[in-house]
Structure formats: C-alpha cells, structure tokens
Amino acid sequence: MLVRRSSLALAILFVSSLAEAGTITAAQVESAVKNRFPLIEKAQFNVEAARQKRLAAEGEFDTKIKVKSANRFDNKYDYRDLETYAEKQLPFQGLSLYAGHHLGLGSIPAYTGKYETAPNGEVFAGARLPLLRNRSIDEARFQLVDADFRREIATVEQIQQTNFYMMKALSTYQKWKLAQRKLDARTALLDIATARQKMMEKQVRLGDVERIALVDAKRSLLKRQADVTDSQNELANVKAEMALYLRNEDGTSRDLTNEVPDLSIEPFPTSSSFKLKIEDLPQIAILRKSRELQDRAVDYGRNQRLPELNLAATTYHELPSSQPVDTTRLQVGIYFELPLENRKGRGLEGEARAKREAFERQRIYAESELQARLQQSITTMEASRNRIALLEEELKSAQIVADAERRRWRSGDSNLFMVAAREEEAASVEIRRWTAEYDFRAAEVEARFTTASFAPAE
C-alpha cells in the first residue's frame, strides 16, 4: 500500500537526507560578495588609484631644486655662470617663491641677461604672483580639485558596485533555491512512481494486474525520470553561476557539488519597508559629484580666458668680498600675454558647461528611473504575494484530489492515467507556488538594490 504524503513533505525529507551536505544561507552569500568578490576588490583598487592620483597632483607643489650652468671659452668671452635655487609653488593665489645662489665670473656679454658677481657670488630671493589668469585657480590647483572629486566618485562607485553585485548574487541565490525546489518536487513524483512500479511488478507476477498496466506505469516512470534529469541539469547550471559569487578564502570559486541552499520559509517584508531617499543613493551621488566637478571645470576654463599678467620681484645680495661694489639690488618685472583667438580658454569652459548639463540631464532621468523601478518591484511583490496565497489554496486542493484519485485507483474505480495526471497537476501547482515565491524574492532583491540598502552611500 502506498504511503500518503504530499510533495512538500517529500521535499523536506529530501533535504533532510542531505544533512551531511553544507547549507548555504543568504547571509553567507552577502558576506562572500562583500569580502571576496573580485570585481568589488577591483573597485577598491580604483579607490586606491584615485588616492595615488591625488598624491601625484600634490607633486606640483613640491619644492624643486634647480640648477642652471653656462660656460663659454672663446677668443672674445671667457665666463662661468652657475645658478642654483629652490622653488616652491604655493596653493594660494598662484604664488611662487624662490631663493638661491648665483655665481657669474669672467668676461660676460651683456646680452646673456646675467650679471657679473663678486668671487663669492650673490644670494637672491623672490616671488611671482599672477594678477589675472591663474590667480583664483590654475592648472595645478585644478588638478588637486579634480583628484579630490575623482577620489570621492571612486569611493561612491565602490559602494554602487557592492550594491550591484550583491543584487546579482542574491538574485542568483533565489534562482538556486527555485531550481532546488523544482528538483525536490519532481524527485518526489519520481519516488511515488518508482514505488508504484515495484508494487505493480509484484501484482503482475501474482496475476492481479494486467501487464499492459505495467507498461503504462513504466511510461509514466520514464517521463518523470526525464523531468528529474532536466531539473538536475537546470540546478547544475545555476550552481555554476552561483559559484561566481561564492568564493573561498584564496579567491577561487567554491565547489557547490555537495552544497544546498537554505530552503526554510522566510517572512515576507511589506512594500512599506522600502523607501527611496534620492539623496542617499550612490547612483545619484556619482552624478551629483560629477556635475560639481564640472562646475569647477567651468571656473577653471573661465579663468583661462583672462590675459596672463604676472608680477615678479627679486632681491639680490652679493656675498661679502673685498670689492667695493653695491651688494644689494631689487628687480621687479611684469609679464603680459594675450592670445588673440583665446580658443583654449573658450574651449575648456564650453566643454565643461556641456558636460555639466549632460550630467544634470542624466541625474534627472536617473531619479525618475529609480522611482519607476522601485514601484515596479513593489507591484511585483504585491502581485506575487497574492499569487502565493492563491496557489497555496490550489495546492491543498490538488493534493487532496491526487490522494483521492490514488484511493479510487486502488479500489478499481480509476485508471493509472488519471492518477498520474492528478499527481502531475499537484506537482505543477507546487512548482508554480515556488516560482511565485521566487518572483517575490527577486523583486525584493531588486528593491533592495534600487534603495541601496545593501551598502548605502556614506
């Protein structure tokens, strides 16, 4: 006599039989992705690269030691000229400071712009200050600003990548759970058909059942074996995809051959659990910071359209010597430059303005898209919740009908075709019920991604 049991109970027994196998939970998946997923690690390295770029930009303000040397020996002139000085550009108003030592000896032509010094040479110190172009911002200071913004953007992009790959991993995990449940349901059907086949073979040997009934039962058994094979193939493919996200400590993909997902029933969150705070979303933060960077680029381009007018002042003092010469002098100079077409400044400003507007348009669309995606996820969750309730009622009815049909068959009031059809229908309803739960969980994961609940922007 066949033992009455629902396919849900059989699925539980099937999972219990794999007690020795490891059970993977959603929390384990999240931990593996956060700590060992290569593409999130790549985003972390991008943050470090942005930090190093900032350090490189600071290099423009390094103190520089410079040496200039000129020596000439011919029939008319004989001189040696050596200038050694330190120069420091300050991140303030474009001001540069310099100080050093100059030594010029011998017969020096006036057109070199050098001055003959006493035997010990002269020391000098001075400053250069831009009055128009490069006063409020110059290329070196803009590179610092650019590096700061790109470091911030890289940091937010890391958060965005964490959210994205967490969503991908948990969506795949839900596919794994569905594939496992499909296999459990079809394995339960196969177990029923296998037990029935053995019983009927015994009845045929005793002459209680015609051999044609055994052939019909064999046909049903083969169909269910094929269904189980299909489910095993589907499960193997999902496991291969899941292994991309579950990593060992050394970063290699985890072998999931003897692993099963956690099939315990979790509570269903309500749609009110998901709130969209636009200002906290990394997707929006990236666009906002990109637009702010272009604001600064507009300022830089506008500044580069100004004429270049620099003021330089240098004081010289000859080192003590026996020569009765004036030991101190002050030299002041003005440098002016005006590019007539001024295409560089206009181009830089125009490019930055266009990029700024492009980022702004992208931000406006992204906000609308995120709101629409969250609403779609919530709608799917509510529809799936209602489907689950209906399918659970339908499943109870289908299992009752299947059990009744088996009793009728055993009493001779039905045939094996109707029994198999009722059992297949009950299994189909069960798979649809698990599919509805998958739709709910997939929409839930999508909603968590949309609201950046995996890793909120800082």
XYZ file of all heavy atoms in Angstrom, residues 46-100:
449
model
N 40.446 50.761 -7.430
C 40.199 52.023 -8.123
C 40.196 53.192 -7.141
O 40.660 54.295 -7.466
C 38.866 51.965 -8.872
C 38.930 51.099 -10.114
O 40.011 50.824 -10.636
N 37.785 50.643 -10.589
N 39.675 52.958 -5.938
C 39.713 53.994 -4.903
C 41.155 54.294 -4.524
O 41.558 55.464 -4.392
C 38.910 53.552 -3.662
C 39.076 54.564 -2.529
C 37.437 53.410 -4.011
N 41.957 53.248 -4.366
C 43.358 53.454 -4.028
C 44.087 54.182 -5.159
O 44.938 55.051 -4.913
C 44.033 52.107 -3.755
C 45.516 52.190 -3.422
C 45.804 53.040 -2.200
O 44.916 53.190 -1.333
O 46.937 53.572 -2.103
N 43.757 53.839 -6.404
C 44.371 54.533 -7.545
C 44.015 56.013 -7.523
O 44.859 56.879 -7.831
C 43.916 53.889 -8.851
N 42.773 56.329 -7.151
C 42.357 57.733 -7.065
C 43.121 58.456 -5.960
O 43.476 59.631 -6.097
C 40.848 57.816 -6.824
N 43.394 57.754 -4.868
C 44.185 58.365 -3.785
C 45.594 58.676 -4.277
O 46.159 59.736 -3.966
C 44.258 57.424 -2.578
C 42.955 57.254 -1.825
C 43.215 56.614 -0.467
N 41.966 56.337 0.237
C 41.394 55.143 0.299
N 41.957 54.124 -0.312
N 40.266 54.973 0.959
N 46.163 57.751 -5.004
C 47.517 57.968 -5.517
C 47.552 59.091 -6.560
O 48.530 59.829 -6.666
C 48.063 56.665 -6.109
C 48.220 55.537 -5.098
C 49.112 55.923 -3.931
O 50.131 56.603 -4.091
N 48.718 55.507 -2.727
N 46.461 59.229 -7.325
C 46.389 60.324 -8.280
C 46.362 61.664 -7.545
O 46.966 62.648 -8.003
C 45.146 60.188 -9.160
C 45.047 61.264 -10.222
C 43.855 61.057 -11.139
C 43.800 62.157 -12.200
N 42.659 61.995 -13.130
N 45.711 61.686 -6.408
C 45.684 62.902 -5.606
C 47.093 63.236 -5.114
O 47.523 64.386 -5.134
C 44.768 62.686 -4.410
C 44.005 63.923 -3.920
C 44.878 64.912 -3.192
N 44.098 66.055 -2.744
C 44.582 67.063 -2.071
N 45.867 67.126 -1.773
N 43.813 68.062 -1.715
N 47.826 62.197 -4.704
C 49.207 62.401 -4.275
C 50.052 62.943 -5.426
O 50.883 63.843 -5.227
C 49.792 61.079 -3.764
C 51.240 61.117 -3.287
C 51.388 62.049 -2.089
C 51.719 59.711 -2.944
N 49.830 62.406 -6.617
C 50.572 62.896 -7.784
C 50.247 64.359 -8.068
O 51.129 65.151 -8.436
C 50.259 62.035 -9.005
N 48.971 64.744 -7.886
C 48.590 66.138 -8.100
C 49.261 67.059 -7.078
O 49.622 68.197 -7.401
C 47.069 66.280 -8.023
N 49.440 66.566 -5.864
C 50.144 67.359 -4.850
C 51.603 67.577 -5.241
O 52.246 68.526 -4.766
C 50.077 66.645 -3.499
C 48.679 66.612 -2.889
C 48.641 65.783 -1.617
O 49.677 65.160 -1.287
O 47.588 65.753 -0.966
N 52.143 66.705 -6.096
C 53.532 66.831 -6.509
C 53.843 68.128 -7.226
O 55.005 68.562 -7.263
N 52.833 68.771 -7.816
C 53.062 70.055 -8.465
C 53.481 71.124 -7.464
O 54.023 72.160 -7.839
C 51.807 70.504 -9.207
C 51.489 69.671 -10.450
C 52.581 69.775 -11.493
O 53.119 70.890 -11.688
O 52.928 68.745 -12.102
N 53.221 70.881 -6.187
C 53.567 71.855 -5.147
C 54.808 71.419 -4.364
O 55.102 71.984 -3.308
C 52.373 72.050 -4.203
C 51.144 72.558 -4.904
C 50.186 71.681 -5.389
C 50.959 73.915 -5.113
C 49.066 72.142 -6.051
C 49.840 74.394 -5.767
C 48.893 73.499 -6.247
N 55.502 70.422 -4.888
C 56.758 70.017 -4.256
C 57.807 71.125 -4.387
O 57.807 71.890 -5.362
C 57.304 68.748 -4.907
C 56.469 67.513 -4.568
O 55.626 67.605 -3.662
O 56.671 66.478 -5.229
N 58.683 71.175 -3.410
C 59.834 72.081 -3.502
C 60.827 71.508 -4.509
O 61.194 70.333 -4.416
C 60.514 72.249 -2.143
O 59.549 72.756 -1.205
C 61.695 73.202 -2.239
N 61.248 72.339 -5.454
C 62.112 71.864 -6.531
C 63.479 72.556 -6.441
O 63.559 73.774 -6.233
C 61.478 72.147 -7.890
C 60.104 71.507 -8.064
C 59.456 71.934 -9.371
C 58.097 71.282 -9.545
N 57.119 71.736 -8.548
N 64.508 71.781 -6.573
C 65.874 72.299 -6.647
C 66.259 72.377 -8.120
O 66.188 71.377 -8.838
C 66.861 71.411 -5.888
C 66.475 71.339 -4.397
C 68.287 71.915 -6.051
C 66.548 72.659 -3.690
N 66.672 73.566 -8.572
C 67.019 73.763 -9.969
C 68.448 74.301 -10.083
O 68.879 75.121 -9.261
C 66.033 74.726 -10.638
C 64.586 74.224 -10.615
C 63.649 75.156 -11.371
C 62.224 74.629 -11.369
N 61.306 75.517 -12.145
N 69.120 73.835 -11.100
C 70.499 74.265 -11.347
C 70.627 74.673 -12.808
O 70.191 73.935 -13.704
C 71.508 73.142 -11.026
C 72.933 73.604 -11.339
C 71.383 72.709 -9.568
N 71.188 75.861 -13.040
C 71.464 76.335 -14.384
C 72.963 76.639 -14.489
O 73.528 77.322 -13.645
C 70.671 77.600 -14.702
C 69.162 77.407 -14.682
C 68.454 78.724 -14.998
C 66.957 78.570 -14.956
N 66.262 79.864 -15.244
N 73.575 76.138 -15.519
C 75.018 76.347 -15.682
C 75.313 76.718 -17.129
O 74.736 76.140 -18.054
C 75.771 75.060 -15.306
O 77.162 75.220 -15.527
N 76.188 77.706 -17.306
C 76.634 78.104 -18.644
C 78.130 78.435 -18.571
O 78.575 79.186 -17.696
C 75.849 79.312 -19.141
N 78.875 77.869 -19.461
C 80.322 78.111 -19.516
C 80.714 78.373 -20.970
O 80.297 77.621 -21.876
C 81.099 76.904 -18.985
C 80.774 76.620 -17.528
O 81.325 77.247 -16.652
N 79.864 75.687 -17.296
N 81.513 79.417 -21.172
C 81.921 79.765 -22.535
C 83.396 80.158 -22.551
O 83.834 80.980 -21.734
C 81.068 80.923 -23.060
C 81.423 81.324 -24.490
C 80.403 82.313 -25.032
N 80.780 82.783 -26.362
C 80.032 83.619 -27.089
N 78.883 84.065 -26.600
N 80.432 84.007 -28.282
N 84.093 79.574 -23.493
C 85.524 79.885 -23.640
C 85.819 80.081 -25.128
O 85.711 79.127 -25.922
C 86.389 78.743 -23.085
C 86.044 78.364 -21.669
C 85.211 77.283 -21.392
C 86.541 79.118 -20.612
C 84.911 76.957 -20.091
C 86.237 78.777 -19.307
C 85.407 77.702 -19.043
N 86.083 81.304 -25.534
C 86.474 81.577 -26.923
C 87.401 82.802 -26.922
O 87.816 83.298 -25.868
C 85.260 81.763 -27.824
C 84.318 82.857 -27.331
O 84.808 83.799 -26.661
O 83.102 82.777 -27.601
N 87.678 83.326 -28.091
C 88.628 84.442 -28.188
C 88.104 85.718 -27.564
O 88.879 86.545 -27.064
C 88.986 84.695 -29.654
C 89.763 83.526 -30.249
O 90.487 82.841 -29.528
N 89.619 83.313 -31.543
N 86.753 85.875 -27.573
C 86.177 87.153 -27.133
C 85.676 87.101 -25.683
O 85.826 88.060 -24.941
C 85.036 87.539 -28.067
C 84.494 88.937 -27.814
C 83.472 89.309 -28.870
C 82.948 90.724 -28.657
N 81.958 91.119 -29.667
N 85.059 85.927 -25.311
C 84.458 85.847 -23.979
C 85.012 84.637 -23.240
O 85.296 83.583 -23.824
C 82.929 85.739 -24.056
C 82.276 86.941 -24.671
C 81.733 86.872 -25.962
C 82.212 88.149 -23.971
C 81.132 87.975 -26.529
C 81.617 89.261 -24.540
C 81.085 89.175 -25.820
O 80.499 90.272 -26.378
N 85.079 84.792 -21.959
C 85.538 83.717 -21.094
C 84.789 83.857 -19.771
O 85.112 84.725 -18.951
C 87.052 83.820 -20.894
C 87.588 82.722 -19.980
O 86.779 81.844 -19.565
O 88.787 82.748 -19.672
N 83.738 83.028 -19.606
C 82.963 83.194 -18.375
C 82.402 81.845 -17.898
O 82.279 80.871 -18.629
C 81.826 84.205 -18.556
C 80.733 83.781 -19.516
C 79.653 82.995 -19.084
C 80.746 84.205 -20.840
C 78.645 82.625 -19.945
C 79.726 83.843 -21.708
C 78.677 83.054 -21.264
O 77.678 82.698 -22.117
N 82.056 81.869 -16.618
C 81.408 80.732 -15.973
C 80.203 81.289 -15.208
O 80.348 82.242 -14.439
C 82.387 80.048 -15.018
C 83.558 79.400 -15.731
C 84.667 79.016 -14.772
N 85.174 80.139 -13.991
C 86.028 81.058 -14.512
N 86.424 80.986 -15.780
N 86.470 82.044 -13.767
N 79.063 80.655 -15.450
C 77.818 81.140 -14.813
C 77.098 79.939 -14.203
O 76.818 78.955 -14.899
C 76.923 81.836 -15.833
C 75.708 82.486 -15.170
O 75.831 83.630 -14.744
O 74.648 81.815 -15.082
N 76.787 80.015 -12.915
C 76.104 78.911 -12.219
C 75.032 79.496 -11.312
O 75.305 80.365 -10.496
C 77.119 78.105 -11.390
C 76.522 76.947 -10.576
C 75.944 75.881 -11.499
C 77.589 76.346 -9.659
N 73.839 78.977 -11.496
C 72.720 79.438 -10.674
C 72.044 78.213 -10.052
O 71.608 77.301 -10.759
C 71.714 80.221 -11.513
C 70.598 80.865 -10.698
C 69.713 81.754 -11.550
O 68.760 81.201 -12.150
O 69.977 82.972 -11.642
N 71.946 78.194 -8.758
C 71.300 77.100 -8.013
C 70.239 77.708 -7.110
O 70.521 78.627 -6.343
C 72.327 76.337 -7.156
O 73.392 75.870 -7.993
C 71.679 75.158 -6.456
N 69.012 77.187 -7.206
C 67.957 77.771 -6.391
C 66.859 76.738 -6.105
O 66.726 75.704 -6.790
C 67.356 79.010 -7.072
C 66.687 78.754 -8.406
C 65.314 78.617 -8.491
C 67.433 78.664 -9.583
C 64.685 78.400 -9.709
C 66.829 78.445 -10.806
C 65.452 78.313 -10.862
O 64.829 78.097 -12.069
N 66.093 77.023 -5.080
C 64.921 76.223 -4.709
C 63.668 77.028 -5.047
O 63.618 78.246 -4.811
C 64.955 75.878 -3.222
N 62.659 76.313 -5.581
C 61.416 76.990 -5.982
C 60.236 76.233 -5.390
O 60.207 75.005 -5.373
C 61.320 77.038 -7.509
C 60.106 77.823 -8.007
C 60.120 77.958 -9.521
O 60.535 76.983 -10.192
O 59.731 79.019 -10.029
N 59.268 76.970 -4.912
C 58.095 76.382 -4.275
C 56.845 77.105 -4.743
O 56.705 78.313 -4.576
C 58.213 76.495 -2.754
C 57.001 76.029 -1.965
C 56.908 74.521 -1.936
C 55.831 74.053 -0.970
N 55.724 72.575 -0.929
N 55.940 76.336 -5.376
C 54.660 76.922 -5.741
C 53.677 76.671 -4.603
O 53.528 75.543 -4.134
C 54.111 76.300 -7.035
C 52.767 76.894 -7.451
C 52.281 76.351 -8.787
O 53.023 75.673 -9.490
N 51.051 76.654 -9.117
N 52.995 77.713 -4.158
C 52.052 77.598 -3.061
C 50.636 77.425 -3.595
O 50.286 77.993 -4.632
C 52.123 78.840 -2.168
C 53.486 79.167 -1.562
C 53.387 80.445 -0.729
C 53.991 78.012 -0.718
N 49.804 76.659 -2.877
C 48.403 76.505 -3.308
C 47.559 77.699 -2.867
O 46.422 77.533 -2.415
C 47.970 75.216 -2.602
C 48.789 75.161 -1.375
C 50.105 75.800 -1.718
N 48.110 78.881 -2.985
C 47.416 80.086 -2.538
C 47.646 81.196 -3.556
O 48.776 81.665 -3.743
C 47.933 80.512 -1.154
C 47.402 81.837 -0.687
C 46.090 81.948 -0.272
C 48.209 82.973 -0.692
C 45.589 83.175 0.150
C 47.710 84.186 -0.277
C 46.400 84.284 0.144
N 46.589 81.574 -4.255
C 46.626 82.684 -5.202
C 47.678 82.507 -6.300
O 48.099 83.473 -6.926
C 46.895 83.998 -4.456
C 45.812 84.363 -3.453
C 44.486 84.711 -4.131
O 44.447 85.458 -5.092
N 43.401 84.140 -3.631
N 48.110 81.272 -6.525
C 49.093 81.024 -7.571
C 50.485 81.535 -7.267
O 51.331 81.632 -8.170
N 50.755 81.877 -6.012
C 52.031 82.475 -5.627
C 53.156 81.448 -5.658
O 53.001 80.322 -5.187
C 51.908 83.061 -4.225
C 53.153 83.741 -3.645
C 53.535 84.971 -4.469
C 52.910 84.103 -2.179
N 54.310 81.849 -6.232
C 55.511 81.019 -6.241
C 56.643 81.765 -5.543
O 56.831 82.974 -5.761
C 55.931 80.676 -7.669
O 54.974 79.849 -8.295
N 57.390 81.053 -4.728
C 58.540 81.615 -4.027
C 59.803 80.900 -4.497
O 59.762 79.709 -4.825
C 58.389 81.447 -2.513
C 57.128 82.028 -1.872
C 57.122 81.725 -0.379
C 57.027 83.521 -2.129
N 60.909 81.634 -4.515
C 62.178 81.017 -4.901
C 63.316 81.737 -4.196
O 63.229 82.905 -3.821
C 62.377 81.061 -6.423
C 62.202 82.424 -7.038
C 63.286 83.304 -7.154
C 60.960 82.844 -7.508
C 63.122 84.555 -7.710
C 60.790 84.091 -8.068
C 61.873 84.945 -8.168
O 61.706 86.184 -8.722
N 64.417 80.997 -4.000
C 65.608 81.558 -3.355
C 66.794 80.699 -3.763
O 66.665 79.489 -3.946
C 65.452 81.576 -1.843
N 67.969 81.372 -3.922
C 69.120 80.604 -4.348
C 70.400 81.397 -4.357
O 70.516 82.469 -3.731
